[in-house]
Amino acid sequence: MKSDNVKKGIEQAPHRSLFNALGLTPEEMKRPLVGIVSSYNEIVPGHMNIDKIVEAVKLGVAMAGGTPREFPAIAVCDGIAMGHVGMKYSLVTRDLIADSTECMAMAHQFDALVMIPNCDKNVPGLLMAAARLNIPTVFVSGGPMLAGHVNGKKSSLSSMFEAVGSHAAGLMTEEEVCEFENNVCPTCGSCSGMYTANSMNCLTEVLGMGLKGNGTIPAVYSERIRLAKHAGMKVMELLEKNIRPKDIMTEKAFMNALTVDMALGCSTNSMLHLPAIAHEAGVNLNLDIANELSAKTPNLCHLAPAGHTYIEELNEAGGVYAVMNELNKKGLIYTDIMTATGKTVGENIEGCINKNPEVIRPIDNPYSETGGIAVLKGNLAPDSCVVKRSAVVPEMMVHEGPARVFECEEDAITAIRGGKINAGDVVVIRYEGPKGGPGMREMLNPTSAIAGMGLGASVALITDGRFSGASRGASIGHVSPEAAVGGPIALVEEGDIIKINIPANTINVDVSDEELEARKAKWQPKDASHITGYLARYRELVTSANTGAILKTPR
């Protein structure tokens, strides 16, 4: 066992003395040492229940003959961080989480790990760590929040942000906003739509790193406690069989994840996180393949914000495995690959039927014949940008209009709420990319303001930043190269005509190559001398969004 490095032999007597200080018995020291990576904290609603999950996991590990030892991982609530400087500190935590988990696992020589994440960057950060460490690992998330209820209708965080936009437009009273405020987030858990946290927890199941129900069993259900106990037991089986993350997170597993991503209509942030996780697993995940997979993968789910169903209903309909089983009817899933259940994908999904064709459309009656995310390219985004196609209204699938250019998110929000954006406009927010932000802020406030003011069917938004999974509409993000490195988005001028064609996967600014070259010759990078601390280090190391905004590694 790996932990023998800190437990066995006369030279390890000092180490054992420290285990004695922890209260461990000789019997416990003879067992495998299993790290329980707890993301519990008291500031994130998706994490406030994780202490219960941790205790259940520990019990499962102990029941199966292991010695569980808990250590922490940080997590940021993107909703609380939204719309101010705090959002610069969201994406950047993904790498802090991966690095700190690597440090703890290697320093203490754990034999196996159970990862307990829940929210946006916390899930991919721990998946990156799992791939990097490559010791037997199982994931069990904290689970999704139940949907709220406002005026007799189910609701969620995205409707809360849009209510603020409606109030700014004079379409909603302060009392009506208060009704949303008090009712859209009724329980602990990751926010109830197919936002980034739930997208990544569902894709953890698809990748094979979580057990059935990991992404969909609500946080408040006792079934999640049972799932946690089974996760603790299962990691001991993986240790015995020596099944490791890189045995599970193979190229085929990532193809499955992209395919199910398209069927579920996941957050566009998955297009940042999947390449970053794949990189750690030694898999080159080129996003050019996304459109190829989308072209043959039907979109089966319209979960909030794209529709009016929520994660709890996906769970009741059969969950992620039922979606995979539908896709497998057309041979779209690799079924011969290993998972953390100790079984293959095919064995896992066999018999997992679709219990509600209104929530999970049958494969022969999809919402659309193509997937929920599209990757666009053109002279505005030579390296790519992404859009959640399943959340775009039909009339905005092809759009052209004048650019309304803003150098930061705050300026755009002021203009939108001030009534200065008109139907047909294309809002461009730049210098918000991985380097330019730095930190690549989410743009839920401006997209919600556009939707709340009734402009969602007539105004597009383009940014080198990114979007919350709660965003909807023609919200096109991850424009690469970004403005901070002189990408074409930095050269767009007020009034330039921007042409968007989502079905054709193109995005262009109607300006000649010669004019763009002339503008580029005059362009100067923004002064970044005021950026300090971790953000300054991050800015120096981070790469482009189209590569997953991974950090450069010295060779």
Side-chain angles (χ1 to χ4, degrees), residues 353-405:
I353 62 170
N354 179 0
K355 300 174 184 177
N356 189 338
E358 297 301 313
V359 176
I360 304 171
R361 286 281 186 92
I363 194 77
D364 55 1
N365 182 34
Y367 281 102
S368 66
E369 293 293 340
T370 53
I373 290 179
V375 176
L376 315 183
K377 286 189 176 183
N379 71 349
L380 185 55
D383 290 340
S384 75
C385 57
V386 299
V387 61
K388 189 170 182 175
R389 172 166 42 193
S390 60
V392 179
V393 294
E395 53 266 43
M396 289 299 290
M397 295 297 257
V398 178
H399 179 78
E400 68 176 76
R404 305 297 308 280
V405 182

Side-chain angles (χ1 to χ4, degrees), residues 82-120:
M82 193 70 65
H84 56 89
V85 67
M87 182 45 72
K88 293 178 184 286
Y89 289 87
S90 173
L91 179 62
V92 304
T93 65
R94 187 183 71 181
D95 296 276
L96 280 175
I97 291 162
D99 292 349
S100 60
T101 303
E102 175 191 359
C103 290
M104 288 294 288
M106 292 302 294
H108 302 100
Q109 293 291 285
F110 287 106
D111 297 302
L113 296 168
V114 180
M115 307 283 203
I116 310 176
N118 212 27
C119 288
D120 297 37

Side-chain angles (χ1 to χ4, degrees), residues 23 60 67 106 178 237 269 291 370 374 415 446 495 497 531 541:
T67 297
M106 292 302 294
C178 189
E237 179 185 330
N269 282 316
N291 287 336
T370 53
I497 299 300
I531 300 169
L541 293 174

